[in-house]
Amino acid sequence: MFAHVDINNCYVSCETLFQPQLKGRVVVVLSNNDGCVIARSNEAKAIGLKMGDAEFMVRKVLKEHDAVIFSSNYALYADMSARLMNNLARYTYTLMVYSIDEAFMALADTQDLDLDKHAQMISENVMHDTGLAITVGLGPTFALAKLANKAAKKQGLSYLVLDTEAKVHEVTKTFPIEDVWGVGRAYYDKLREHKIETAEDFRQLKPDFVRQQMTVQGWRLHQELWGKPCNIIRDVADRSKGIESSQSFNTYQTQLEKIEEATAMHAGTVALKLRQQKSMTLMLTIYLRTNKHNVKHDQHYPSITVKVPLATNSAQEITRICVQALRAIWQPGYNYLKTGVRATGIIPAGEAQYNLFSNYENSRQTKLSGLMDEINARYGRGALRVAAEGYDKTWKMKQEYLSKQYTTNWNDIVVTR
């Protein structure tokens, strides 16, 4: 059996955990630069607010309902996510973190286990230990565990177990096909052409037909909905996807110096993520973006991919390469809104191959990066950084409604009497 666990209304739950007086009110969390709604309380959902609603378009509605608005507090959300995952690890021999607020767990020796009581116990213990309300879905495959989780939420339950064919049929016969994990817009349109409206309708299709219409991915989903596992738990990072850091500016940027600072910051973030997963990169992509929605401005979307001379995860080396690459693609006269850095060609740090004739001082770079990590771990991220990042980051994204970093900043820690 597999369990799928996620935090209910994750970002909103993290905010209300430290401000319990907000429970029962309309609460929303906004995206980068406070652009659109990315998390809603149940009360916000009840008044018709949708994911992705632009803030300026729903501003009147938010004011009418005396809504509480937060900017995205990623430091808080990431820390609470780590606490959740540490708690979940106690109940499984293999945990796969799927996103910041959800994970899959493999459950062993379930023959004599009361699955309903086990799921309830996980939910109650996580609430006790972290203060976060979660939903637990159990099933013999990833797809059924995910479906059980969504069905539990629709029914207002904290958990749901699909361990028999009768239970699976009871849920899938009314479960909308567009809500099934893995059914994107393209698959949904194709299935609707064949009058497929529920998960059960999809299950009743012949496997060969599914494979022909939806390729091997659709066939695997079909198999999983019949209780035949086609996915496996991965407890290591998927290095094939790469690592990226990007962010929109709080206003248009036309000066190369300011964009260099932002690019250097993203380069440092990518380097840190590489070191955290004990990896190195062989390829770096740097890109710039103007605002495609502003038709009054000239558009420019340059990017460049650079092959790193020697595999690295050094903040200094990656920053140097990224800043040089940025200068090659930047052009004056454009109003840039976003920059980003992406690392690909990722390999384990222990498999890096160096050139016998190169004078690259890898040991020195490793020591410097290690020292930076130690200092930042003790005094806070950014306490020590590459000078190219600058100090007065006037270009940083707008966060007018940012809450305190209750768990990661000594100045914001909750004080009790």
Side-chain angles (χ1 to χ4, degrees):
M1 294 291 288
F2 296 99
H4 176 260
V5 180
D6 71 353
I7 305 172
N8 301 337
N9 306 327
C10 178
Y11 293 176
V12 169
S13 294
C14 292
E15 298 289 357
T16 56
L17 175 62
F18 294 94
Q19 299 189 54
Q21 71 274 16
L22 299 181
K23 292 181 179 178
R25 294 185 59 180
V26 175
V27 181
V28 298
V29 176
L30 303 178
S31 63
N32 291 349
N33 285 316
D34 299 338
C36 59
V37 176
I38 58 171
R40 305 156 292 158
S41 63
N42 291 332
E43 293 74 17
K45 296 175 183 178
I47 65 173
L49 293 175
K50 302 287 192 303
M51 283 287 289
D53 279 347
E55 185 274 337
F56 74 91
M57 296 185 67
V58 297
R59 192 175 297 162
K60 183 178 179 181
V61 175
L62 293 172
K63 187 173 182 180
E64 289 175 350
H65 290 84
D66 192 26
V68 180
I69 304 172
F70 290 102
S71 301
S72 295
N73 189 340
Y74 297 118
L76 175 64
Y77 309 151
D79 185 68
M80 295 309 300
S81 171
R83 296 178 185 221
L84 169 68
M85 301 311 168
N86 286 336
N87 269 268
L88 294 180
R90 296 184 296 170
Y91 307 108
T92 178
Y93 64 93
T94 308
L95 175 74
M96 186 177 83
V97 179
Y98 191 66
S99 69
I100 192 171
D101 69 332
E102 60 181 321
F104 286 98
M105 300 191 299
L107 304 180
D109 300 325
T110 60
Q111 185 173 358
D112 299 321
L113 186 66
D114 187 322
L115 294 174
D116 286 276
K117 288 184 178 179
H118 190 67
Q120 182 180 11
M121 179 267 295
I122 293 174
S123 176
E124 291 177 351
N125 285 359
V126 168
M127 168 60 79
H128 176 271
D129 295 338
T130 68
L132 297 171
I134 64 171
T135 302
V136 183
L138 267 66
T141 66
F142 275 28
L144 285 175
K146 184 86 170 180
L147 188 144
N149 188 299
K150 286 189 175 182
K153 289 183 177 179
K154 290 176 182 290
Q155 299 175 37
L157 304 174
S158 62
Y159 67 91
L160 182 64
V161 178
L162 299 181
D163 56 345
T164 67
E165 173 56 30
K167 291 180 181 179
V168 172
H169 175 73
E170 184 65 25
V171 172
T172 56
K173 69 180 183 182
T174 58
F175 198 89
I177 187 61
E178 62 267 28
D179 290 341
V180 174
W181 182 48
V183 176
R185 186 69 192 181
Y187 281 168
Y188 172 68
D189 291 340
K190 187 170 293 187
L191 290 171
R192 287 304 297 267
E193 291 178 3
H194 293 87
K195 311 299 182 184
I196 306 301
E197 298 183 354
T198 68
E200 186 61 30
D201 293 339
F202 179 67
R203 291 209 313 158
Q204 296 306 320
L205 293 174
K206 293 183 178 179
D208 290 343
F209 174 83
V210 174
R211 187 158 192 163
Q212 182 181 13
Q213 296 294 321
M214 299 174 64
T215 70
V216 68
Q217 297 299 327
W219 176 82
R220 287 174 179 169
L221 173 61
H222 186 265
Q223 294 293 295
E224 289 230 334
L225 290 178
W226 276 107
K228 302 173 182 177
C230 294
N231 291 296
I232 60 173
I233 291 269
R234 294 183 177 88
D235 59 354
V236 296
D238 185 355
R239 297 187 174 94
S240 63
K241 294 182 179 180
I243 295 174
E244 183 170 353
S245 177
S246 65
Q247 191 180 88
S248 297
F249 304 122
N250 59 6
T251 186
Y252 295 118
Q253 296 295 326
T254 58
Q255 298 180 19
L256 175 60
E257 181 183 357
K258 296 299 181 182
I259 301 176
E260 283 182 351
E261 290 179 2
T263 302
M265 184 195 72
H266 295 313
T269 300
V270 167
L272 176 61
K273 291 180 179 179
L274 286 167
R275 294 195 298 274
Q276 287 174 338
Q277 70 174 40
K278 295 179 173 58
S279 297
M280 290 184 168
T281 182
L282 293 168
M283 306 284 286
L284 289 167
T285 299
I286 299 85
Y287 58 87
L288 284 167
R289 299 286 184 267
T290 51
N291 185 359
K292 65 180 180 180
H293 301 293
N294 192 334
V295 295
K296 296 180 180 179
H297 293 169
D298 293 333
Q299 302 298 315
H300 194 218
Y301 313 114
S303 68
I304 186 172
T305 298
V306 180
K307 185 176 180 181
V308 179
L310 296 169
T312 183
N313 57 19
S314 162
Q316 295 89 337
E317 183 68 8
I318 291 177
T319 299
R320 181 185 65 78
I321 294 171
C322 289
V323 170
Q324 287 181 352
L326 173 71
R327 293 169 182 168
I329 62 174
W330 178 83
Q331 292 186 20
Y334 291 100
N335 296 296
Y336 292 109
L337 188 62
K338 184 177 183 179
T339 184
V341 172
R342 183 185 306 116
T344 53
I346 298 175
I347 63 172
E351 296 180 10
Q353 188 171 7
Y354 299 103
N355 191 323
L356 179 63
F357 303 101
S358 171
N359 60 358
Y360 179 67
E361 298 183 48
N362 178 61
S363 60
R364 181 173 180 271
Q365 294 285 356
T366 300
K367 289 179 181 179
L368 281 172
S369 297
L371 179 61
M372 286 181 62
D373 293 343
E374 288 180 15
I375 293 175
N376 289 331
R378 181 172 181 178
Y379 296 104
R381 188 172 178 181
L384 185 63
R385 58 185 182 273
V386 178
E389 292 186 31
Y391 178 75
D392 185 18
K393 299 179 180 179
T394 57
W395 44 264
K396 290 198 70 173
M397 65 179 178
K398 180 172 67 175
Q399 292 179 303
E400 291 185 5
Y401 311 102
L402 187 65
S403 59
K404 295 181 179 180
Q405 297 178 357
Y406 300 101
T407 63
T408 58
N409 190 323
W410 283 110
N411 295 323
D412 293 339
I413 194 170
V414 176
V415 178
T416 61
R417 295 181 180 178

